[in-house]
Amino acid sequence: MDKKLIGIDLGGTTIKFAILTEKGEIQQKWSFETNILDDGSHIVPDIVQSINHHLSLYGMEPEQFIGIGMGSPGTVDLNEGTVTGAYNLNWKTLQEVKKVVEKETKIAFAIDNDANVAALGERWKGAGENDKEVAFITLGTGVGGGLVSNGNLLHGLGAAGEIGHMVVQPKGYLCTCGNHGCLETYASATGVVRVARDLAEEFAGDSKLKRMLDDGQEITSKIVFDLAKEDDLLGKMVVDRVCYYLGLACGNIGNLLNPSYIVIGGGVSAAGEFLLSRVEKYFLEFAFPTVRKSTQLKLAQLGNEAGVIGAASLALRFK
Amino acid sequence: MDKKLIGIDLGGTTIKFAILTEKGEIQQKWSFETNILDDGSHIVPDIVQSINHHLSLYGMEPEQFIGIGMGSPGTVDLNEGTVTGAYNLNWKTLQEVKKVVEKETKIAFAIDNDANVAALGERWKGAGENDKEVAFITLGTGVGGGLVSNGNLLHGLGAAGEIGHMVVQPKGYLCTCGNHGCLETYASATGVVRVARDLAEEFAGDSKLKRMLDDGQEITSKIVFDLAKEDDLLGKMVVDRVCYYLGLACGNIGNLLNPSYIVIGGGVSAAGEFLLSRVEKYFLEFAFPTVRKSTQLKLAQLGNEAGVIGAASLALRFK
């Protein structure tokens, strides 16, 4: 029988698991809530216990697995298999992950950060069509990214792929990172709302979005995009501004890396073709002619499963 | 005896050659003028003849060489070893280079584009300190670049590393590529002069640079930088503007790739630390905190020799 992979997507709310074939087909899936109490000290033991429990449930042995791969928030040391500064897990100090998981499961373990792992997933089984040259942008609470070139993730000295912190507007909005005008401040879910509030101030025409903001109603990026699709004037202005910055970032990613695909995923990308076509308009304005003709923008295809699939692919190195 | 490498730097004015040890030490150097007549049809035969002539001059045989590497202008097909669209060589149609050179010299041949090859040279024996993560920007007539990550050049679909065409100022100066606001329009030798002319128009104070421009004297980027070093007010404004755009580009290269070094070379970089410190000021403003602390800006060290050294390193694959 062919050996299997285990993929783990460690998040601040849930931990997702999957058992996959080495071709990337999901055979089993489960998840549980992340227990971040006591400085997140239960997380690794919970993961180990859950894996061992499910292996015995399915009547499987460690020898039947090529390896385990995991995506984690925070700063990941790829070689040591440790994580630091994952604040949504209450992991403030260095956490030994690889050492513990390998000891307790007897299965080889590899780890990378969550955005990189999602990029690997979309590259392998999603919109990236298993191409060697794929850039991935995820538009969620923040804006993350992962870059694959020559078939490998780019790590640089560890922080490569910080697409959310590309500066797209010098002296623009203040970012949580301390800089101004990062892509994340405009194109994350909260960024879209920020742009909406900002443009509403100087907007004078008729707009439901404007009225909702003035009423103090709670606005989400989904509401902004939905109203824009219904031709709301302010909504359309907000979407245009957001797509302009995304197009500028994609253009410059293209000019530097000329990937086959720039894949856009995450919650905000649920706006679909409405978003993509508008980003593309600006991408075509900012991309170098050769890049414009070769690099293609696409929507992500795997949704939530990108994490476990990409994580599992990390373990292919143990084949 | 250890085997040797041959590096060729093919330019529109001269063709430079070097014989190097496999450690990258230059043992012999020569060059001759590029004959671009008759659609550049003499170039490849001239190269072959020159190599064979020098080998017999030094009493060397093809078997003593690991291979030949060459950097070329135009669009290079790495696998086929062909070049198209190298207009400064009058090469408008596809040129067979690898096939001819290998047949006529009996030495294995590899080729890449000139900016990539210069990046490899600076990475191997220059400011890049043979690190696996190096970005290289060359500020010459245009602005070129090459990106090394995981120890390999990034090619993407062929046009990766177009640093000169990163858009740093949407709706900025019109570029030869047809886009607006490319880095090249501000930070190339001609870009610097363009910024000078532009800022001079609205400049009212006392400045020798302003007087020279008003007199219709010929201005070069060297003159602009020299005057700025002498505290010329307009000169300092021009340098500040150029370094701002370079700092923005370096910041975003850092945010995407987090290399160990971003190496700045080419004619404009002759301004040395005066340029570098000013680019760094803006780089620190635009780089993500982790990147700011880890990625380092440096001046190139090899000058004109980066081309032949980097070209020779292409041939190391035949070892």
Side-chain angles (χ1 to χ4, degrees), chain B residues 226-237:
Chain B
D226 285 348
L227 288 172
K229 286 178 183 175
E230 290 166 18
D231 247 9
D232 184 276
L233 275 181
L234 176 61
K236 286 199 293 183
M237 283 172 59

Side-chain angles (χ1 to χ4, degrees), chain A residues 157 161 167 179 252 256 287 292, chain B residues 157 161 167 179 252 256 258 287 292:
Chain A
L157 293 171
V167 175
N179 289 348
N252 281 336
L256 281 183
R292 195 187 301 151
Chain B
L157 293 171
V167 175
N179 289 349
N252 281 336
L256 281 183
N258 189 24
R292 195 187 300 152

Side-chain angles (χ1 to χ4, degrees), chain A residues 189-247:
Chain A
T190 46
V192 172
V193 176
R194 193 169 178 178
V195 173
R197 287 192 199 287
D198 197 10
L199 295 187
E201 278 188 25
E202 58 200 62
F203 181 83
D206 178 50
S207 155
K208 187 176 171 192
L209 178 58
K210 166 80 172 165
R211 288 194 298 277
M212 289 176 76
L213 285 162
D214 288 349
D215 279 359
Q217 294 184 40
E218 201 180 318
I219 298 295
T220 62
S221 77
K222 181 176 185 323
I223 292 173
V224 173
F225 275 93
D226 285 350
L227 287 172
K229 287 178 183 175
E230 290 166 16
D231 247 10
D232 183 276
L233 275 181
L234 177 60
K236 286 199 292 184
M237 282 171 62
V238 175
V239 168
D240 186 69
R241 183 73 62 96
V242 169
C243 292
Y244 164 82
Y245 288 124
L246 276 167

Side-chain angles (χ1 to χ4, degrees), chain A residues 65-133:
Chain A
F65 291 89
I66 295 166
I68 302 172
M70 181 163 109
S72 170
T75 303
V76 175
D77 185 319
L78 308 178
N79 296 320
E80 298 297 321
T82 58
V83 178
T84 43
Y87 299 103
N88 58 342
L89 304 176
N90 279 334
W91 280 359
K92 289 153 205 156
T93 57
L94 185 136
Q95 305 288 319
E96 292 284 357
V97 185
K98 178 186 167 77
K99 211 174 275 177
V100 176
V101 174
E102 288 191 339
K103 179 161 172 268
E104 301 293 334
T105 65
K106 317 269 184 255
I107 304 175
F109 178 87
I111 187 168
D112 207 320
N113 89 51
D114 43 11
N116 279 344
V117 154
L120 285 180
E122 278 294 340
R123 181 240 166 170
W124 190 25
K125 303 302 290 184
E129 300 182 12
N130 207 22
D131 197 276
K132 280 175 184 282
E133 307 288 335

